[in-house]
Amino acid sequence: MYAIVEIAGQQFKVEKGRFIYTHRLAGETNAELVFDKVLLVDNGGAVSVGAPTVAGATVKCTIIEHLKGEKVIVFKKKRRKGYQKQNGHRQSLTKIQIDEIIAA
């Protein structure tokens, strides 16, 4: 059984017991989260597609930890002008575990 869920503006394919890295979510570690924007549910071959969401379907998750992603280097240069600028960025992420998929 799997579902397609919208979490923090992005769509993820989730299955029970899997870990997902999303943009930083509000909440403490070990907090329970419930997402109700379920776009598709596949229950052993029986597929329900929402318009836009599946009615009564929810996904329960637990926040495992808050962390930062790998560093991305941004380098800008204009040739023959002596202009160079280097900047780094690390995205704030949240690791969540999918506990249960409820399909009505």
Side-chain angles (χ1 to χ4, degrees), residues 18-25 29-30 33 62-67 93-98:
R18 294 267 175 125
F19 294 100
I20 299 215
Y21 293 94
T22 67
H23 291 302
R24 180 64 59 98
L25 299 173
T29 304
N30 296 325
L33 297 175
T62 304
I63 295 178
I64 302 299
E65 64 177 326
H66 297 290
L67 58 135
L93 301 173
T94 299
K95 182 179 179 182
I96 61 173
Q97 180 179 13
I98 308 302

Side-chain angles (χ1 to χ4, degrees), residues 3-49:
I4 306 293
V5 183
E6 184 176 330
I7 302 172
Q10 294 181 314
Q11 296 178 5
F12 294 95
K13 178 180 177 183
V14 297
E15 295 180 24
K16 183 178 178 181
R18 294 267 175 125
F19 294 100
I20 299 215
Y21 293 94
T22 67
H23 291 302
R24 180 64 59 98
L25 299 173
E28 298 295 322
T29 304
N30 296 325
E32 296 285 328
L33 297 175
V34 177
F35 298 109
D36 58 353
K37 286 191 176 182
V38 180
L39 306 174
L40 180 138
V41 175
D42 182 1
N43 193 358
V47 178
S48 346
V49 179

